[in-house]
Amino acid sequence: MRVLGIDPGLTRCGVGVVDVRPDRTAALVEVTVIRTPADMPLEQRLLAVGTGIDQLLDAHRPDVVAIERVFAQHNLRTVMGVAQVSGVALHAAARRGLRVALHTPSEVKAAITGYGSADKKQVQAMVARILGLAEAPKPADAADALAIAICHAWRGSPAADGRAAGGAAEGAAQTPAQAAWLAAERSARTSGVPRRLAR
């Protein structure tokens, strides 16, 4: 599965592309940050971000696009920028007939680190480890975009319920974070609650 993950932002929009195999091993394809200056007119900033996303979608042809879900915070201007860029990304994916998934920050943290309240440094360290990188991509928006892509691939892969290709036993070739995610999903299924670690 090839996933293009987006950490939406108007000043910095992180975009990461990963390939994830059925055994959940992941490989980096590309990661970048699309930047726009604050003094540029809003419509031009959105055009620049949209053009950058278009180019990456056409270059890498992902199977699915994963975007961080907009969440409430006190800075209304930041929320508006994130929402506007999310809309641009949703439009670009829909125009190509691509599936889109939205994940909250807590979902991404839980999938990557096994802990829904992990800090950015923990997420960055795990992204580097999962992808076999010497260090996490910088700035944080880049690592966040990769984390979003990995989160979706792990949740949506054939091994997401523990039945890996070839009937591999649950827990095989898993990181501690993957094992924690599977345990949480098993618990959710048996208790009947929705498959979401945090909102």
Side-chain angles (χ1 to χ4, degrees):
M1 176 187 293
R2 174 164 290 186
V3 186
L4 185 143
I6 299 176
D7 180 34
L10 201 49
T11 301
R12 295 185 307 274
C13 178
V15 185
V17 184
V18 296
D19 284 341
V20 181
R21 300 175 64 179
D23 66 359
R24 295 191 172 202
T25 56
L28 174 65
V29 176
E30 182 171 347
V31 63
T32 189
V33 175
I34 303 168
R35 303 172 186 267
T36 65
D39 59 355
M40 180 184 287
L42 175 61
E43 68 276 14
Q44 293 301 318
R45 297 182 78 182
L46 292 173
L47 176 62
V49 173
T51 300
I53 292 173
D54 282 338
Q55 291 172 347
L56 290 163
L57 287 170
D58 291 339
H60 298 295
R61 301 185 179 276
D63 300 302
V64 61
V65 175
I67 305 171
E68 183 174 273
R69 186 185 296 275
V70 177
F71 64 99
Q73 56 176 261
H74 298 300
N75 190 333
L76 181 60
R77 179 175 294 182
T78 298
V79 171
M80 286 298 295
V82 170
Q84 289 163 337
V85 171
S86 295
V88 168
L90 288 163
H91 181 267
R95 197 167 64 242
R96 291 164 174 78
L98 295 171
R99 292 181 294 123
V100 177
L102 301 175
H103 297 286
T104 67
S106 293
E107 287 175 325
V108 175
K109 291 175 183 178
I112 299 301
T113 70
Y115 179 51
S117 297
D119 61 30
K120 282 189 174 293
K121 287 186 178 179
Q122 290 172 309
V123 172
Q124 291 167 12
M126 282 304 298
V127 165
R129 180 178 173 185
I130 291 164
L131 295 174
L133 307 176
E135 60 181 10
K138 292 181 175 61
D141 313 83
D144 287 348
L146 292 171
I148 292 161
I150 295 166
C151 168
H152 178 77
W154 282 358
R155 294 192 69 188
S157 71
D161 59 0
R163 295 187 295 273
E170 187 168 305
Q174 292 175 0
T175 66
Q178 292 170 320
W181 182 261
L182 286 174
E185 287 199 324
R186 285 196 304 273
S187 176
R189 286 198 297 271
T190 56
S191 63
V193 298
R195 282 184 165 186
R196 178 170 293 174
L197 292 181
R199 287 184 175 84

